[in-house]
């Protein structure tokens, strides 16, 4: 790609986080952002068709996003690093796309788990050498503020959407929240939008029983946060009137995960003695936490072939046995049957209801 060309930047989707990522890029890098189209069946078909068989599902979704973004005019792609083999995926994806004949630049962030502004600044400066720290810091703060607002609002939605009186009321307001959030460009505005929408969400009429069915969802971060990849499992649970608890969000990954790891391993004892990589440690510790907090059931989700999550399954199963709490396991791939997921979820739900009535 010629150096004089304007940068048209894109990145893979994950949940609703494209707003803060876009703002961070627009406010720090020279160029414009072209979002990959929202994920559809075509995205994953493109990704799967051009990926090696052995890679996990996040690789395939990201690759599909890149192809669609390049087809829409992107010429500069960004990939995040990760605490598992994901950290090596950038190079492979770049080569695949080059072999497909695309002309672009590719940049892999080295380690996005270290949330220090200095570390991120050093990475972004490699892309834009003119970037100064002051400019970066205020853009970084804005993005983090937006991430926190999204995570807090979505937590409220997960806990209450299953009990809305007027179907679609949460979803409608959520769309409007994301649209307003995408127009903000300073932290004060983000705080105002957050407060305004938190209030509005709390005003939505719900009919929530005192003791609703509560299910925790644990597992690998991509399938937890990108609803398309888990066949909108949280939405399916909400349709059944279930309150959903999920720990993993971007703010959790950025601010708490690493600091908490030792504590989580200690807490997960005797089921776990060492970290088992990526989100596996979390899955075991959180399963125990959910069991001790009186949740009715747990759903463990992972991409097919995800080693850290495969490792977490035996200890999760032991927690399930010792605390007598049911766990339903799902493994997602590009060929997963949606009907199969719905049927198993239905059976799990019936079992939880019967169990609750008995208790
Ligand atoms: S955590 Fe598992 S699924 Fe996610 S990128 Fe790593 S290996 Fe793949």
């Amino acid at each position: 790609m010629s150096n004089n060309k304007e940068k048209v930047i894109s990145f893979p989707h994950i949940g609703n986080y494209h707003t803060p990522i876009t703002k961070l890029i627009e406010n720090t890098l020279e160029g414009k952002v072209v979002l990959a189209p929202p994920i559809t069946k075509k995205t994953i078909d493109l990704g799967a068709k051009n990926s090696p068989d052995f890679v996990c599902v996040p690789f395939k979704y990201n690759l599909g996003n890149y192809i669609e973004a390049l087809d829409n005019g992107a010429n500069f792609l960004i990939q995040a690093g990760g605490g598992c083999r994901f950290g090596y995926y950038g190079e492979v994806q770049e080569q695949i796309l080059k072999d497909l004949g695309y002309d672009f630049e590719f940049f892999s962030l080295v380690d996005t788990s270290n949330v220090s502004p200095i570390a991120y600044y050093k990475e972004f400066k490699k892309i834009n050498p003119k970037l100064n720290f002051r400019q970066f810091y205020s853009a970084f703060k804005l993005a983090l503020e937006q991430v926190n607002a999204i995570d807090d609002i979505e937590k409220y939605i997960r806990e209450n959407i299953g009990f809305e009186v007027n179907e679609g009321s949460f979803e409608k307001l959520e769309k409007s929240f994301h649209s307003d959030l995408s127009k903000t460009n300073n932290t004060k505005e983000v705080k105002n939008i957050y407060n305004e929408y938190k209030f509005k969400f709390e005003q939505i009429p719900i009919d929530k029983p005192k003791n609703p069915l509560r299910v925790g969802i644990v597992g690998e971060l991509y399938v937890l946060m990108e609803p398309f990849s888990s066949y909108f499992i949280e939405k399916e649970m909400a349709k059944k009137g279930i309150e959903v608890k999920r720990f993993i969000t971007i703010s959790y990954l950025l601010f708490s995960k690493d600091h908490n790891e030792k504590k989580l391993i200690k807490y997960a004892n005797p089921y776990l003695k060492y970290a088992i990589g990526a989100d596996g440690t979390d899955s075991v510790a959180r399963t125990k936490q959910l069991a001790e907090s009186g949740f009715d059931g747990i759903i463990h989700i992972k991409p097919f072939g995800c080693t850290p999550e495969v490792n977490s399954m035996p200890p999760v199963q032991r927690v399930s046995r010792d605390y007598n709490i049911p766990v339903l396991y799902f493994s997602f791939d590009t060929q997963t049957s949606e009907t199969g997921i719905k049927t198993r979820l239905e059976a799990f739900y019936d079992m939880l209801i019967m169990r609750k009535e008995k208790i």
Side-chain angles (χ1 to χ4, degrees):
M1 190 191 119
S2 144
N3 282 341
N4 306 324
K5 231 177 167 179
E6 185 196 24
K7 279 193 180 73
V8 184
I9 306 166
S10 200
F11 52 85
H13 279 293
I14 184 157
N16 289 311
Y17 295 108
H18 49 270
T19 293
I21 304 173
T22 300
K23 288 282 166 202
L24 181 62
I25 292 174
E26 281 177 350
N27 290 329
T28 57
L29 305 180
E30 287 178 346
K32 64 173 185 183
V33 170
V34 160
L35 278 185
I39 298 179
T40 60
K41 174 95 175 48
K42 184 183 159 211
T43 315
I44 186 60
D45 286 348
L46 279 170
K49 185 175 141 208
N50 294 293
S51 298
D53 274 349
F54 57 86
V55 294
C56 51
V57 155
F59 181 110
K60 299 175 187 173
Y61 275 94
N62 287 184
L63 191 69
N65 287 150
Y66 286 141
I67 294 175
E68 293 190 309
L70 289 164
D71 288 340
N72 278 1
N75 61 23
F76 192 98
L77 305 176
I78 297 184
Q79 175 61 286
C84 57
R85 56 185 160 150
F86 197 85
Y88 305 103
Y89 281 172
E91 282 94 335
V92 187
Q93 288 166 333
E94 180 180 7
Q95 195 52 54
I96 292 172
L97 295 169
K98 294 232 153 109
D99 290 346
L100 288 174
Y102 289 106
D103 179 26
F104 63 98
E105 278 184 63
F106 196 92
F107 187 85
S108 291
L109 293 166
V110 173
D111 182 7
T112 39
S113 61
N114 177 1
V115 79
S116 111
I118 299 272
Y120 269 78
Y121 171 62
K122 282 183 184 158
E123 288 295 293
F124 276 66
K125 206 170 160 62
K126 288 180 198 161
I127 307 174
N128 176 14
K130 290 188 213 144
L131 183 67
N132 69 58
F133 185 69
R134 234 180 115 130
Q135 178 195 356
F136 177 78
Y137 186 69
S138 71
F140 190 65
K141 233 174 108 199
L142 171 69
L144 292 184
E145 206 68 56
Q146 288 179 324
V147 165
N148 285 335
I150 292 172
D151 287 343
D152 205 72
I153 293 284
E154 289 190 349
K155 177 175 179 284
Y156 184 81
I157 296 174
R158 273 195 292 281
E159 288 170 356
N160 296 291
I161 189 171
F163 311 97
E164 65 185 355
V165 174
N166 305 312
E167 205 186 324
S169 46
F170 272 80
E171 226 172 88
K172 195 169 157 214
L173 192 61
E174 192 185 6
K175 270 194 191 132
S176 158
F177 162 68
H178 285 293
S179 160
D180 283 354
L181 196 69
S182 69
K183 293 173 200 142
T184 57
N185 217 11
N186 68 60
T187 47
K188 198 165 162 242
E189 275 174 24
V190 175
K191 278 190 186 131
N192 291 342
I193 297 265
Y194 166 75
N195 288 333
E196 180 194 330
Y197 276 90
K198 191 71 196 275
F199 179 76
K200 282 184 181 169
F201 273 108
E202 283 165 359
Q203 302 313 305
I204 294 181
I206 52 172
D207 183 14
K208 190 172 180 177
K210 257 195 177 158
N211 187 11
L213 261 192
R214 293 188 305 149
V215 172
I217 184 160
V218 298
E220 191 266 351
L221 69 91
Y222 186 82
V223 287
L224 281 174
M225 293 193 291
E226 176 43 64
F228 195 98
S229 70
S230 61
Y231 294 76
F232 299 91
I233 197 164
E234 288 183 358
K235 215 171 171 182
E236 290 300 320
M237 290 156 82
K239 278 189 204 158
K240 301 196 175 311
I242 296 174
E243 178 186 315
V244 179
K245 172 85 180 166
R246 151 157 69 90
F247 295 91
I248 290 192
T249 59
I250 293 283
S251 35
Y252 174 74
L253 294 173
L254 292 177
F255 301 112
S256 310
K257 190 168 183 253
D258 283 0
H259 308 294
N260 277 345
E261 190 165 77
K262 276 191 189 144
K263 258 196 256 167
L264 285 180
I265 295 172
K266 201 167 159 201
Y267 176 70
N269 189 43
Y271 303 101
L272 210 60
K273 284 197 175 140
Y274 310 100
I276 52 175
D279 311 302
T281 311
D282 249 85
S283 294
V284 179
R286 298 305 183 184
T287 299
K288 185 179 173 195
Q289 186 180 341
L290 290 162
E292 288 186 340
S293 316
F295 271 69
D296 297 291
I298 290 164
I299 295 184
H300 176 275
I301 63 175
K302 70 171 195 323
F304 177 74
C306 170
T307 315
E309 289 306 327
V310 169
N311 290 339
S312 78
M313 288 168 72
V316 163
Q317 195 48 39
R318 284 202 297 280
V319 177
S320 163
R321 186 197 58 206
D322 291 355
Y323 286 84
N324 193 24
I325 182 167
V327 180
L328 176 64
Y329 299 92
F330 282 113
S331 199
F332 297 107
D333 199 0
T334 52
Q335 302 302 328
T336 308
S337 144
E338 194 173 347
T339 317
I341 294 166
K342 285 188 177 161
T343 311
R344 291 184 62 211
L345 205 54
E346 192 75 40
F348 188 65
Y349 169 74
D350 289 346
M351 185 267 291
L352 291 184
I353 290 280
M354 284 194 278
R355 192 172 166 270
K356 201 165 177 84
E357 278 167 4
K358 214 165 134 195
I359 290 169

